Amino acid sequence: LPPGVPVTIYTDARTVEEEIAPARAAFDRSSEMLRKLADDVWAGQPVAIERVDEVVEEMVESMVRNPDALMWVARLREKDITTYGHGLQVAVYLVAFGRHLGFPRAQLAQLGTIGLLLDIGKTRLPRALLEKQGRLTPAEFDQVKTHVALGLEILSATPNWPEEVTEGIAQHHERMNGSGYPQGLRAEGIGIFGRMAGIADCFAALTKSRPYAEAVSSYEALRSITGWGGEIFHAPLTEQFVQAVGVFPVGSLVELSTGEVAVVVSHNKVRRLKPRVLLLTGPDKTPSGYPTMVDLLYDPLLGGDEPAFIRRSLAAGAYGLNPREHYLA
């Protein structure tokens, strides 16, 4: 952590099952706030900082009690998220990231605010540009890049934003080798919140279908991000991000060595490769009418002679499965 920032150690106060309802409520209120925020910006109104603070505080409290619950809700709700709501997923990952690193609650709130607002400038861009199918032309990409400056301009109409928040938003597209934008900052010129926001923003983008690219599995996204560590992203932080969200993040689909397809429910803090999972199919991939919860660390056999393990990560929607039907309905 930066000099002078005390390390805070967090322990889970609730199970995922206990926290899922408050997490869902926090996610829904944050999503509604972002929708109203976009409406206000379109109408030329300033951003209401107290409205942002309220939903961020609720999000942070849920994440402090158990980060897996809100990360699961965010992952399973990703198809409901609008162009501007992408920041909500980034906020969830950033707060989880900050909690893992040991930032105090005040800084967790700042990270959540950065995530929620980092794409607010896109409300000033043509919708057709943001929803264009296929890759952007160089000129179109240059126009999209202006969303950072536009976002800072929108926020400048409201006083009293913490410097850490505006800096994190300004730097979330800067890269360690200077290839980012808008200023082309390098290495130590990028603050820790800007570095963290860049990693979380990239992860959320890679794991969600976009007009110009299909979603990849969480595992593939994390592998890409760690591969870019040192050149594009800060290498030590990419390793810590993997620890924060898990090699197989909560809400991701996985295939077990025994053939079943499951969704990751929560992590075992000691053995990240042995999470609790909800079995959605049988070994032959036939959907199960009664999904079963299995802890791969403490109850790994699944009726066989060898301990079951995760064979591979699957992209969202693999085998036509929608985990939210089984848990969030």
Side-chain angles (χ1 to χ4, degrees), residues 1-2 12 42 53-54 59 108 120 133 144 155 158 171-172 175 180 189 240 251 282 288 303:
L1 301 186
D12 292 353
W42 284 325
D53 287 345
E54 182 179 339
M59 182 187 303
L108 297 186
I120 192 66
Q133 300 297 314
V144 169
L155 296 183
T158 303
Q171 296 179 355
H172 76 278
R175 300 295 181 251
Q240 291 301 314
S288 173

mmCIF file of all heavy atoms in Angstrom, residues 1-2 12 42 53-54 59 108 120 133 144 155 158 171-172 175 180 189 240 251 282 288 303:
data_model
loop_
_atom_site.group_PDB
_atom_site.id
_atom_site.type_symbol
_atom_site.label_atom_id
_atom_site.label_comp_id
_atom_site.label_asym_id
_atom_site.label_seq_id
_atom_site.Cartn_x
_atom_site.Cartn_y
_atom_site.Cartn_z
ATOM 1 N N LEU A 1 0.837 -1.184 0.000
ATOM 2 C CA LEU A 1 0.000 0.000 0.000
ATOM 3 C C LEU A 1 0.884 1.249 0.000
ATOM 4 O O LEU A 1 2.052 1.201 0.389
ATOM 5 C CB LEU A 1 -0.919 0.004 1.231
ATOM 6 C CG LEU A 1 -1.866 -1.191 1.368
ATOM 7 C CD1 LEU A 1 -2.802 -0.978 2.555
ATOM 8 C CD2 LEU A 1 -2.664 -1.411 0.098
ATOM 9 N N PRO A 2 0.330 2.385 -0.429
ATOM 10 C CA PRO A 2 1.112 3.621 -0.418
ATOM 11 C C PRO A 2 1.572 3.956 0.998
ATOM 12 O O PRO A 2 0.925 3.587 1.984
ATOM 13 C CB PRO A 2 0.105 4.664 -0.933
ATOM 14 C CG PRO A 2 -0.881 3.884 -1.720
ATOM 15 C CD PRO A 2 -0.997 2.566 -1.017
ATOM 16 N N ASP A 12 -14.344 -12.635 6.708
ATOM 17 C CA ASP A 12 -15.737 -12.775 6.298
ATOM 18 C C ASP A 12 -16.636 -12.876 7.528
ATOM 19 O O ASP A 12 -16.442 -13.740 8.387
ATOM 20 C CB ASP A 12 -15.923 -14.020 5.436
ATOM 21 C CG ASP A 12 -15.229 -13.904 4.086
ATOM 22 O OD1 ASP A 12 -14.725 -12.807 3.783
ATOM 23 O OD2 ASP A 12 -15.196 -14.906 3.342
ATOM 24 N N TRP A 42 -27.367 13.628 -19.283
ATOM 25 C CA TRP A 42 -27.993 13.962 -20.565
ATOM 26 C C TRP A 42 -28.807 15.258 -20.469
ATOM 27 O O TRP A 42 -28.907 16.012 -21.423
ATOM 28 C CB TRP A 42 -28.899 12.823 -21.030
ATOM 29 C CG TRP A 42 -28.155 11.653 -21.573
ATOM 30 C CD1 TRP A 42 -26.992 11.649 -22.283
ATOM 31 C CD2 TRP A 42 -28.515 10.270 -21.425
ATOM 32 N NE1 TRP A 42 -26.607 10.371 -22.589
ATOM 33 C CE2 TRP A 42 -27.523 9.505 -22.092
ATOM 34 C CE3 TRP A 42 -29.570 9.605 -20.812
ATOM 35 C CZ2 TRP A 42 -27.555 8.115 -22.146
ATOM 36 C CZ3 TRP A 42 -29.608 8.216 -20.864
ATOM 37 C CH2 TRP A 42 -28.617 7.477 -21.526
ATOM 38 N N ASP A 53 -22.252 8.540 -3.039
ATOM 39 C CA ASP A 53 -21.701 8.107 -1.753
ATOM 40 C C ASP A 53 -22.606 7.096 -1.069
ATOM 41 O O ASP A 53 -22.124 6.135 -0.455
ATOM 42 C CB ASP A 53 -21.504 9.320 -0.828
ATOM 43 C CG ASP A 53 -20.343 10.196 -1.251
ATOM 44 O OD1 ASP A 53 -19.522 9.739 -2.071
ATOM 45 O OD2 ASP A 53 -20.260 11.342 -0.775
ATOM 46 N N GLU A 54 -23.901 7.305 -1.181
ATOM 47 C CA GLU A 54 -24.855 6.420 -0.493
ATOM 48 C C GLU A 54 -24.777 4.992 -1.018
ATOM 49 O O GLU A 54 -24.702 4.033 -0.245
ATOM 50 C CB GLU A 54 -26.275 6.969 -0.658
ATOM 51 C CG GLU A 54 -27.331 6.155 0.067
ATOM 52 C CD GLU A 54 -28.721 6.747 -0.092
ATOM 53 O OE1 GLU A 54 -28.830 7.948 -0.394
ATOM 54 O OE2 GLU A 54 -29.699 6.000 0.086
ATOM 55 N N MET A 59 -22.432 -0.747 -0.959
ATOM 56 C CA MET A 59 -21.625 -1.737 -1.667
ATOM 57 C C MET A 59 -20.415 -2.151 -0.829
ATOM 58 O O MET A 59 -20.109 -3.345 -0.694
ATOM 59 C CB MET A 59 -21.165 -1.160 -3.013
ATOM 60 C CG MET A 59 -20.361 -2.123 -3.857
ATOM 61 S SD MET A 59 -19.693 -1.298 -5.333
ATOM 62 C CE MET A 59 -21.187 -0.676 -6.090
ATOM 63 N N LEU A 108 -11.685 2.100 0.207
ATOM 64 C CA LEU A 108 -12.573 1.183 -0.525
ATOM 65 C C LEU A 108 -13.722 1.966 -1.157
ATOM 66 O O LEU A 108 -14.127 1.683 -2.291
ATOM 67 C CB LEU A 108 -13.123 0.099 0.403
ATOM 68 C CG LEU A 108 -12.124 -0.866 1.032
ATOM 69 C CD1 LEU A 108 -12.864 -1.970 1.799
ATOM 70 C CD2 LEU A 108 -11.203 -1.481 -0.016
ATOM 71 N N ILE A 120 -18.420 7.566 -17.119
ATOM 72 C CA ILE A 120 -19.521 8.532 -17.182
ATOM 73 C C ILE A 120 -19.385 9.450 -18.392
ATOM 74 O O ILE A 120 -20.377 9.943 -18.941
ATOM 75 C CB ILE A 120 -19.590 9.362 -15.874
ATOM 76 C CG1 ILE A 120 -20.886 10.151 -15.778
ATOM 77 C CG2 ILE A 120 -18.373 10.285 -15.743
ATOM 78 C CD1 ILE A 120 -22.112 9.289 -15.653
ATOM 79 N N GLN A 133 -21.212 -2.415 -34.282
ATOM 80 C CA GLN A 133 -20.760 -3.790 -34.463
ATOM 81 C C GLN A 133 -19.449 -3.798 -35.249
ATOM 82 O O GLN A 133 -19.326 -3.120 -36.258
ATOM 83 C CB GLN A 133 -21.825 -4.594 -35.222
ATOM 84 C CG GLN A 133 -23.173 -4.666 -34.514
ATOM 85 C CD GLN A 133 -23.096 -5.370 -33.181
ATOM 86 O OE1 GLN A 133 -22.479 -6.435 -33.074
ATOM 87 N NE2 GLN A 133 -23.719 -4.794 -32.160
ATOM 88 N N VAL A 144 -13.695 7.850 -29.085
ATOM 89 C CA VAL A 144 -14.018 7.124 -27.852
ATOM 90 C C VAL A 144 -13.040 7.496 -26.737
ATOM 91 O O VAL A 144 -13.419 7.623 -25.572
ATOM 92 C CB VAL A 144 -14.015 5.606 -28.098
ATOM 93 C CG1 VAL A 144 -14.082 4.842 -26.771
ATOM 94 C CG2 VAL A 144 -15.183 5.200 -28.983
ATOM 95 N N LEU A 155 -17.608 15.709 -14.014
ATOM 96 C CA LEU A 155 -17.402 15.699 -12.563
ATOM 97 C C LEU A 155 -16.976 17.064 -12.041
ATOM 98 O O LEU A 155 -17.256 17.411 -10.888
ATOM 99 C CB LEU A 155 -16.356 14.650 -12.192
ATOM 100 C CG LEU A 155 -16.726 13.192 -12.492
ATOM 101 C CD1 LEU A 155 -15.626 12.264 -12.005
ATOM 102 C CD2 LEU A 155 -18.051 12.808 -11.850
ATOM 103 N N THR A 158 -19.351 19.376 -10.226
ATOM 104 C CA THR A 158 -19.689 19.104 -8.826
ATOM 105 C C THR A 158 -18.420 19.224 -7.997
ATOM 106 O O THR A 158 -17.455 18.501 -8.235
ATOM 107 C CB THR A 158 -20.267 17.679 -8.660
ATOM 108 O OG1 THR A 158 -21.398 17.534 -9.511
ATOM 109 C CG2 THR A 158 -20.681 17.436 -7.214
ATOM 110 N N GLN A 171 -6.729 8.214 -14.953
ATOM 111 C CA GLN A 171 -5.614 7.342 -15.311
ATOM 112 C C GLN A 171 -6.013 5.907 -15.627
ATOM 113 O O GLN A 171 -5.132 5.080 -15.874
ATOM 114 C CB GLN A 171 -4.591 7.333 -14.160
ATOM 115 C CG GLN A 171 -3.950 8.684 -13.900
ATOM 116 C CD GLN A 171 -2.964 8.651 -12.747
ATOM 117 O OE1 GLN A 171 -2.806 7.640 -12.067
ATOM 118 N NE2 GLN A 171 -2.298 9.766 -12.502
ATOM 119 N N HIS A 172 -7.300 5.590 -15.682
ATOM 120 C CA HIS A 172 -7.668 4.174 -15.812
ATOM 121 C C HIS A 172 -7.353 3.584 -17.190
ATOM 122 O O HIS A 172 -7.402 2.357 -17.351
ATOM 123 C CB HIS A 172 -9.137 3.950 -15.443
ATOM 124 C CG HIS A 172 -10.146 4.375 -16.469
ATOM 125 N ND1 HIS A 172 -10.569 5.679 -16.613
ATOM 126 C CD2 HIS A 172 -10.839 3.662 -17.391
ATOM 127 C CE1 HIS A 172 -11.467 5.747 -17.565
ATOM 128 N NE2 HIS A 172 -11.654 4.536 -18.068
ATOM 129 N N ARG A 175 -1.091 3.183 -19.274
ATOM 130 C CA ARG A 175 -0.427 1.880 -19.259
ATOM 131 C C ARG A 175 1.041 2.027 -18.878
ATOM 132 O O ARG A 175 1.669 3.046 -19.145
ATOM 133 C CB ARG A 175 -0.562 1.206 -20.630
ATOM 134 C CG ARG A 175 -2.010 0.960 -21.061
ATOM 135 C CD ARG A 175 -2.692 -0.027 -20.142
ATOM 136 N NE ARG A 175 -4.076 -0.334 -20.516
ATOM 137 C CZ ARG A 175 -5.152 0.070 -19.846
ATOM 138 N NH1 ARG A 175 -4.988 0.822 -18.750
ATOM 139 N NH2 ARG A 175 -6.363 -0.269 -20.233
ATOM 140 N N GLY A 180 -0.779 4.041 -23.116
ATOM 141 C CA GLY A 180 -2.167 4.365 -22.802
ATOM 142 C C GLY A 180 -2.540 5.797 -23.140
ATOM 143 O O GLY A 180 -1.786 6.525 -23.791
ATOM 144 N N GLY A 189 4.529 7.164 -12.902
ATOM 145 C CA GLY A 189 3.685 8.329 -13.153
ATOM 146 C C GLY A 189 2.208 8.023 -13.000
ATOM 147 O O GLY A 189 1.383 8.940 -12.954
ATOM 148 N N GLN A 240 -1.825 -9.817 -7.565
ATOM 149 C CA GLN A 240 -2.730 -9.610 -6.436
ATOM 150 C C GLN A 240 -4.197 -9.589 -6.885
ATOM 151 O O GLN A 240 -5.085 -10.017 -6.145
ATOM 152 C CB GLN A 240 -2.383 -8.307 -5.708
ATOM 153 C CG GLN A 240 -1.056 -8.348 -4.972
ATOM 154 C CD GLN A 240 -1.013 -9.441 -3.917
ATOM 155 O OE1 GLN A 240 -1.948 -9.603 -3.138
ATOM 156 N NE2 GLN A 240 0.072 -10.204 -3.894
ATOM 157 N N GLY A 251 -19.013 -16.907 -9.750
ATOM 158 C CA GLY A 251 -19.974 -16.679 -10.820
ATOM 159 C C GLY A 251 -19.554 -17.245 -12.156
ATOM 160 O O GLY A 251 -20.346 -17.237 -13.101
ATOM 161 N N GLY A 282 -25.243 -33.080 -14.909
ATOM 162 C CA GLY A 282 -24.626 -34.349 -14.600
ATOM 163 C C GLY A 282 -23.351 -34.503 -15.401
ATOM 164 O O GLY A 282 -22.985 -33.625 -16.186
ATOM 165 N N SER A 288 -29.285 -30.446 -14.513
ATOM 166 C CA SER A 288 -29.822 -31.076 -13.313
ATOM 167 C C SER A 288 -31.064 -30.346 -12.840
ATOM 168 O O SER A 288 -31.091 -29.111 -12.785
ATOM 169 C CB SER A 288 -28.765 -31.059 -12.206
ATOM 170 O OG SER A 288 -29.293 -31.511 -10.992
ATOM 171 N N GLY A 303 -18.800 -39.144 -5.644
ATOM 172 C CA GLY A 303 -19.179 -40.523 -5.952
ATOM 173 C C GLY A 303 -18.111 -41.337 -6.634
ATOM 174 O O GLY A 303 -18.300 -42.528 -6.896
#
